[in-house]
Amino acid sequence: MSIETPEHFSTLNIRVYYEDTDTGGVVFYANYLKFFERGRTEWLRRLGVNQSELTIREQLMFVVKKVEIQYRKPAKLDDLLTIHSKITRVGRASVDFEQFAENLGERLCESTIQVCCVDSNTFRPAALTQELRTLLEKVQE
């Protein structure tokens, strides 16, 4: 794995709250998707991409098209998870991410997620703006 930098590999810490757990006291499986969404969103925010403004100014928004996820070990109440995110491919109208959650250096869950850019009015695929594409290609490993 490469050296972590804010540009190439982003991290976000998330505390597990009671609301995140199931009746067994572990993180409900679908909540990892929420954690990964927060990881991607906060990374874009740190890069200067505000998704609300993108929708208003460019009529563009991101939607998840494809997810592959593998669960390894459970996270539990009060754990402090670190969500790691990196871009693996920038396409004309899509961005592929690898993301994983870990606790105390142990990998708990990992995923590949494809996010597509769509027109916010029609929800049809739309090309990334050149400015956004250039930015994302710059942070891609």
Side-chain angles (χ1 to χ4, degrees):
M1 190 166 295
S2 64
I3 297 172
E4 291 182 21
T5 65
E7 296 83 25
H8 290 77
F9 207 108
S10 178
T11 60
L12 176 69
N13 291 325
I14 296 176
R15 178 74 61 193
V16 175
Y17 296 113
Y18 185 76
E19 67 187 22
D20 300 318
T21 62
D22 61 18
T23 58
V26 300
V27 169
F28 182 66
Y29 75 96
N31 285 336
Y32 286 99
L33 294 173
K34 292 180 183 182
F35 299 157
F36 292 151
E37 177 71 32
R38 290 179 203 162
R40 292 189 309 276
T41 298
E42 290 303 321
W43 185 14
L44 287 172
R45 191 181 314 276
R46 286 194 299 266
L47 291 172
V49 178
N50 181 307
Q51 293 185 72
S52 297
E53 289 178 12
L54 186 66
T55 301
I56 292 167
R57 284 182 307 157
E58 306 288 341
Q59 288 74 51
L60 297 175
M61 57 189 276
F62 292 115
V63 296
V64 172
K65 179 180 181 185
K66 181 179 173 183
V67 174
E68 185 175 315
I69 194 162
Q70 181 175 358
Y71 304 95
R72 297 177 175 269
K73 293 188 89 172
K76 299 177 179 128
L77 181 65
D78 292 326
D79 284 352
L80 183 61
L81 306 182
T82 302
I83 307 302
H84 298 267
S85 308
K86 77 174 180 176
I87 293 174
T88 58
R89 186 189 70 80
V90 177
R92 182 180 164 279
S94 64
V95 182
D96 293 354
F97 289 87
E98 285 183 8
Q99 294 184 274
F100 65 92
E102 70 176 10
N103 182 36
L104 301 174
E106 186 170 21
R107 192 173 290 205
L108 306 177
C109 179
E110 57 195 19
S111 71
T112 56
I113 299 175
Q114 184 176 63
V115 177
C116 291
C117 184
V118 298
D119 180 290
S120 63
N121 297 308
T122 66
F123 289 89
R124 306 233 355 119
L128 298 166
T129 66
Q130 186 58 50
E131 179 183 10
L132 183 55
R133 183 180 179 83
T134 300
L135 175 67
L136 296 176
E137 287 174 340
K138 180 180 172 189
V139 299
Q140 178 185 355
E141 285 191 336

